[in-house]
Amino acid sequence: MRTRPLKVALLGCGVVGSEVARIMTTHADDLAARIGAPVELAGVAVRRPSKVRAGIPQELVTTDATALVKRGDIDVVVEVIGGIEPARGLITTAFEHGASVVSANKALLAQDGAALHAAAEAHGKDLYYEAAVAGAIPLIRPLRESLAGDKINRVMGIVNGTTNFILDKMDTTGAGYQEALDEATALGYAEADPTADVEAFDAAAKAAILAGIAFHTRVRLDDVYREGMTEVTAADFRSAKEMGCTIKLLAICERSKDGASVTARVHPAMIPLSHPLASVRGAYNAVFVESDAAGQLMFYGPGAGGSPTASAVLGDLVAVCRNRLNGATGPGESAYAALPVSPMGEVVTRYHISLDVADKPGVLAQVATVFAEHGVSIDTVRQQGKDGEASLVVVTHRASDASLTGTVEALRKLDTVRGVASIMRVEGE
Ligand SMILES: NC(=O)c1ccc[n+]([C@@H]2O[C@H](COP(=O)([O-])OP(=O)(O)OC[C@H]3O[C@@H](n4cnc5c(N)ncnc54)[C@H](OP(=O)(O)O)[C@@H]3O)[C@@H](O)[C@H]2O)c1
């Protein structure tokens, strides 16, 4: 074993960073044996240097992250600050000064992954980011390496624990969205400002990363269709139950049937209770992968939290250190397929539509005609009347999103349709 240690600069020592530092210390001997050289924490960059941080020697703490990555003797920079800047600049500087990088930063990878990969390649360094998608769950490496000989057709997953906790609460207790969110906040599953989670920005970033890796093509954050889950109601859950379904916020990345394009989207959807993703409870994450040769695979586990996320960071750290000792680099960006990302309108799926209509003869026929005129075939219709008003629940066969949008626009113009109470996609059948 080499005695000279590999030096690690830790950028950020918050929820994830503090656990990375702890595991680096407590598992030091095992890590050294697995890597073939000891790993030394050479510096820790933070914003508030006076904050007491258990197990971190004060002399390692600095507020000058740039100076730390520019030192010239750093082998690996672990970026767990988050956000776009200064993380992006620090990662680029790290490559320029000879370090490889491990990051957990989904927002940055989704936005600037291509440029960061190019910088890593230009400097012959590694960029690893297993922790950026689904926390502790090994997913990036299985997609990038274990399935590199297969052809992935679909990746569908629950990649945000906060929203899964909220939806699971609504499902199991009958609570409304706000009540379930309040509970998630009280228990520490949701942040004070939950926008990134509930409006699905976080899940969209993960979908962009997953789609790019799965289909060997570049998928930018802007390419991902995004719809949050704040409009999901207790009534939607009751409708889902009547269909033998539950509701999940899903990230869905698909290759088109002819293989010539891909789509990536994040939105709430009904899935049958028989689907493996339906049984993912609480704040857990799971990703369902379908490929030509392997068939169906499911990856499941904690998608966030300091210690689980640090596990993924440490796995990357070991891999990057091994590469470094071997004078090699691991797999970089694989975007050779260069497939176009189709707009949401071309996505084909089933829909559950809830309409408030006038309770009088002929309404059903009128509504059915609108569906037919837009080429959307109806699977089932259920009507419930009360005091001259009625609710009409229509479940369609597979149709394009554009056709469904056209249908709904036309329905809204009917005098007999008082309102469109909800539109929910039905997936996983
Ligand atoms: N938390 C999770 O469960 C989880 C899961 C998966 C991925 N991630 C990703 O992991 C990353 C870190 O998340 P986190 O939850 O650990 O965040 P966090 O608790 O807010 O920690 C951020 C750390 O960065 C430091 N920092 C902020 N600005 C800085 C600057 N300009 N220079 C130097 N240090 C700076 C902070 O310093 P102070 O301590 O002085 O404030 C803090 O130590 C993010 O990219 C996040 O998306 C997190």
Side-chain angles (χ1 to χ4, degrees):
M1 173 152 54
R2 187 177 104 159
T3 50
R4 189 159 51 84
L6 288 152
K7 295 196 176 180
V8 175
L10 182 61
L11 310 185
C13 192
V15 174
V16 179
S18 58
E19 281 299 300
V20 170
R22 182 185 66 76
I23 299 171
M24 279 182 68
T25 310
T26 54
H27 295 188
D29 292 344
D30 285 326
L31 291 172
R34 291 170 197 176
I35 291 166
V39 192
E40 178 189 310
L41 193 56
V44 181
V46 297
R47 204 172 22 188
R48 296 164 297 164
S50 51
K51 188 179 168 202
V52 178
R53 298 170 203 269
I56 309 279
Q58 192 56 36
E59 65 273 17
L60 294 185
V61 175
T62 175
T63 53
D64 195 344
T66 306
L68 177 58
V69 298
K70 278 186 173 176
R71 256 170 52 165
D73 65 340
I74 300 297
D75 293 285
V76 185
V77 165
V78 174
E79 184 277 308
V80 278
I81 291 176
I84 305 301
E85 290 294 355
R88 175 170 51 194
L90 289 166
I91 290 175
T92 311
T93 308
F95 293 138
E96 288 164 1
H97 288 77
S100 283
V101 172
V102 173
S103 174
N105 196 333
K106 59 219 132 191
L108 179 58
L109 263 306
Q111 186 179 304
D112 282 325
L116 293 174
H117 274 294
E121 197 179 336
H123 293 93
K125 299 290 173 286
D126 275 329
L127 172 62
Y128 276 45
Y129 44 91
E130 182 65 68
V133 182
I137 307 173
L139 189 59
I140 306 268
R141 194 161 304 132
L143 291 178
R144 211 151 76 150
E145 299 183 31
S146 318
L147 292 166
D150 204 339
K151 182 182 175 200
I152 297 170
N153 296 314
R154 197 163 202 249
V155 178
M156 177 160 90
I158 295 165
V159 293
N160 182 278
T162 304
T163 46
N164 202 54
F165 179 90
I166 295 169
L167 291 172
D168 189 28
K169 269 283 152 224
M170 293 174 74
D171 187 19
T172 52
T173 66
Y177 165 72
Q178 191 58 49
E179 195 186 331
L181 171 64
D182 290 346
E183 185 170 351
T185 311
L187 293 171
Y189 288 111
E191 295 188 20
D193 177 1
T195 310
D197 294 319
V198 299
E199 294 297 353
F201 289 101
D202 174 84
K206 291 163 178 171
I209 296 171
L210 286 177
I213 294 172
F215 306 132
H216 300 269
T217 197
R218 268 188 199 150
V219 178
R220 295 170 305 118
L221 189 51
D222 291 350
D223 295 326
V224 181
Y225 173 83
R226 180 190 56 77
E227 206 179 288
M229 43 76 75
T230 56
E231 309 277 301
V232 178
T233 62
D236 291 329
F237 272 100
R238 286 194 293 276
S239 298
K241 278 200 175 108
E242 281 166 18
M243 281 182 63
C245 288
T246 186
I247 299 170
K248 298 289 186 188
L249 182 74
L250 297 178
I252 304 172
C253 314
E254 281 173 314
R255 191 190 288 280
S256 63
K257 277 249 171 340
D258 63 3
S261 63
V262 298
T263 51
R265 54 195 165 113
V266 179
H267 53 71
M270 292 185 182
I271 50 167
L273 294 171
S274 56
H275 193 283
L277 289 174
S279 55
V280 177
R281 315 313 297 248
Y284 276 84
N285 283 195
V287 178
F288 196 71
V289 177
E290 294 170 58
S291 72
D292 266 5
Q296 299 181 328
L297 306 164
M298 175 128 129
F299 300 84
Y300 170 85
S307 171
T309 308
S311 164
V313 171
L314 263 294
D316 280 354
L317 181 62
V318 169
V320 167
C321 287
R322 285 174 178 157
N323 291 345
R324 208 153 166 101
L325 287 183
N326 291 330
T329 51
E333 187 192 33
S334 172
Y336 72 91
L339 298 169
V341 185
S342 300
M344 186 62 188
E346 290 178 27
V347 165
V348 173
T349 189
R350 296 178 67 208
Y351 300 86
H352 176 285
I353 303 123
S354 214
L355 303 170
D356 294 326
V357 296
D359 190 11
K360 56 183 192 189
V363 173
L364 185 54
Q366 244 185 351
V367 167
T369 303
V370 170
F371 275 88
E373 281 169 356
H374 290 82
V376 181
S377 149
I378 293 175
D379 181 16
T380 59
V381 184
R382 207 179 62 245
Q383 188 169 10
Q384 245 174 6
K386 52 173 183 354
D387 310 329
E389 297 296 300
S391 76
L392 204 58
V393 173
V394 179
V395 181
T396 74
H397 287 296
R398 285 167 64 77
S400 74
D401 217 76
S403 306
L404 197 278
T405 304
T407 308
V408 171
E409 272 169 24
L411 286 171
R412 286 190 205 276
K413 289 185 188 140
L414 292 181
D415 288 345
T416 46
V417 173
R418 310 278 191 242
V420 180
S422 90
I423 306 166
M424 184 94 51
R425 296 174 185 89
V426 184
E427 302 287 342
E429 291 178 310

